[in-house]
Amino acid sequence: MIKKISLTRYLVEQQRVDGHIPGDLRLLLEVVARSCKSISQAVNKGDLGGILGAADTENVQGEMQKQLDIIANEVLIEANEWGGHLAAMASEEMDSIYVVPNRYPQGEYLLMFDPLDGSSNIDVNVSIGTIFSVLKKPEGSPGVSEADFLQPGSQQVAAGYCVYGPQTTLVLTVGDGVAMFSLDREQGSFVLIKEHVEIPLDTKEFAINMSNMRHWDEPVKRYVDECLAGKEGPRGKDFNMRWVASMVADVHRILTRGGVFLYPWDKREPQKAGKLRLMYEANPMSWLVEQAGGAATNGQQRILDIKPTKLHERVSVILGSKNEVERITSYHGTL
Ligand code: AHG
Ligand code: MN
Ligand code: MN
């Protein structure tokens, strides 16, 4: 019989055998996984649970919220506020940080999340997800403030996402490679399906929203043009294109079989660095990709080296198979 390794056991062993994670971080990750399980249940019910459709409210980024954006946000807050492992949380769906209320003990970790990634796919039954990133509160700082969150992604102590697709799969790093766990609904637990995930260095698959082509900057245009030219072009091979419009699903494909994902800066709103958010989308995904042997850049610098200046900061994102990302970086003249 194949021995199944649960997420709990994996984390206990990370804590006990390798000393990679302290007990409080293990608790935090278990609680996040539990939250993802209940979000997965809500996603599964869909219309039957009456949770689809718009919420008629806007978030701080001016985006219309879906009911599920709000539900997923509440699930994560309620599950994480009382355990004593956190000092504060921050989310795409909340204007400012959520400090753990006084009635609960305060821990030393900071949790950030995109509770529901790929909101435009909720109502059409296409894969969506939850993305999370964990930092440690800087030592010696009294209380907790937004400034405590503004650490570069290289300071993350854990990061991951859960994709709600044909399977619900949780993907995690604590800085020792990437592991994947699928939800076994009969057992009610996440089970290890893959360890030491590796992204192939080369690829023939790219992901970008082509409808924005006319707004792109020259290096991105050049890269995509060369892919489209196929065998007859300078790359000498045919490329395939995929765009799910859920970053979790696109990154999951890249972690599984390679590829490159771009949501670059473009000329539509030149003052905006990009569409995706640094702290709870780009940073956790970039760390996962690097931990799997890939690379992640904004075209100018490694994403994990960017020092954030605000919670909801946006960033240009190019990540995936290393040789491909390096090629795009060289087109930006920064390699
Ligand atoms: P969110 O639903 O959390 O706002 O994120 C959506 C993001 C990301 O998941 C995806 O890659 C991208 O937006 C899709 O954007 P387009 O609709 O412009 O393709
Ligand atoms: Mn998102
Ligand atoms: Mn979201």
Side-chain angles (χ1 to χ4, degrees):
M1 203 177 80
I2 303 166
K3 210 163 62 186
K4 287 189 174 176
I5 298 183
S6 66
L7 174 68
T8 302
R9 174 166 172 190
Y10 176 88
L11 293 174
V12 167
E13 283 173 0
Q14 285 279 331
Q15 180 188 353
R16 190 200 298 146
V17 182
D18 300 331
H20 278 124
I21 51 170
D24 264 12
L25 183 55
R26 175 167 73 82
L27 173 66
L28 190 165
L29 294 171
E30 295 233 40
V31 176
V32 169
R34 218 159 41 231
S35 313
C36 291
K37 208 158 73 180
S38 60
I39 297 169
S40 170
Q41 240 126 31
V43 168
N44 253 229
K45 284 205 180 109
D47 252 332
L48 304 178
I51 46 89
L52 298 189
D56 291 328
T57 46
E58 259 187 18
N59 67 13
V60 65
Q61 356 240 344
E63 300 161 339
M64 286 309 291
Q65 290 175 307
K66 296 280 169 96
Q67 286 194 66
L68 211 52
D69 288 321
I70 297 172
I71 294 167
N73 194 62
E74 278 167 7
V75 167
L76 281 155
I77 298 278
E78 277 168 24
N80 278 287
E81 67 179 353
W82 51 268
H85 50 283
L86 283 181
M89 291 177 255
S91 157
E92 180 191 342
E93 304 305 337
M94 299 187 297
D95 301 8
S96 41
I97 66 166
Y98 179 91
V99 178
V100 166
N102 282 337
R103 60 184 181 280
Y104 304 121
Q106 262 204 14
E108 55 181 347
Y109 291 103
L110 305 172
L111 174 64
M112 282 166 291
F113 43 83
D114 174 355
L116 215 293
D117 176 68
S119 302
S120 72
N121 283 324
I122 296 173
D123 296 344
V124 291
N125 203 356
V126 171
S127 296
I128 48 182
T130 297
I131 311 174
F132 61 92
S133 160
V134 185
L135 291 167
K136 235 177 152 176
K137 194 171 85 109
E139 261 168 48
S141 80
V144 58
S145 70
E146 180 171 322
D148 295 327
F149 283 78
L150 304 181
Q151 306 178 39
S154 55
Q155 296 299 308
Q156 291 171 106
V157 294
Y161 64 81
C162 187
V163 56
Y164 312 115
Q167 298 106 45
T168 286
T169 301
L170 184 82
V171 179
L172 181 70
T173 186
V174 288
D176 180 36
V178 176
M180 297 184 173
F181 305 83
S182 276
L183 181 60
D184 180 333
R185 289 193 190 274
E186 277 104 64
Q187 300 294 325
S189 59
F190 282 99
V191 176
L192 183 68
I193 54 161
K194 210 186 220 176
E195 250 183 310
H196 313 300
V197 172
E198 267 183 57
I199 301 176
L201 294 176
D202 294 294
T203 183
K204 293 166 119 183
E205 206 160 56
F206 66 95
I208 191 165
N209 184 340
M210 292 287 287
S211 69
N212 297 325
M213 191 174 215
R214 67 192 185 286
H215 307 296
W216 296 339
D217 213 4
E218 217 36 61
V220 173
K221 223 179 238 162
R222 173 180 170 195
Y223 175 72
V224 175
D225 279 347
E226 290 181 359
C227 292
L228 296 177
K231 259 201 194 96
E232 295 74 32
R235 302 298 307 274
K237 58 180 182 181
D238 289 335
F239 277 77
N240 198 1
M241 198 206 82
R242 288 285 182 274
W243 185 250
V244 185
S246 292
M247 189 191 199
V248 268
D250 281 313
V251 169
H252 194 65
R253 186 186 58 256
I254 289 171
L255 284 170
T256 306
R257 67 175 189 213
V260 63
F261 169 97
L262 300 95
Y263 212 123
W265 171 91
D266 68 41
K267 295 173 193 142
R268 279 175 297 176
E269 291 179 84
Q271 73 289 355
K272 259 193 202 167
K275 175 177 181 182
L276 299 176
R277 279 59 50 121
L278 175 63
M279 308 285 292
Y280 41 79
E281 289 179 319
N283 273 342
M285 294 311 209
S286 298
W287 198 30
L288 285 166
V289 164
E290 283 198 5
Q291 282 288 313
T297 173
N298 66 356
Q300 315 302 326
Q301 71 178 128
R302 180 181 175 230
I303 286 180
L304 296 181
D305 286 338
I306 298 173
K307 171 89 176 82
T309 54
K310 56 180 187 199
L311 205 52
H312 299 290
E313 182 165 331
R314 293 176 191 258
V315 65
S316 179
V317 176
I318 300 161
L319 57 77
S321 291
K322 200 169 186 175
N323 290 343
E324 218 62 18
V325 173
E326 281 178 0
R327 173 182 287 271
I328 304 168
T329 310
S330 74
Y331 291 0
H332 283 80
T334 47
L335 200 73

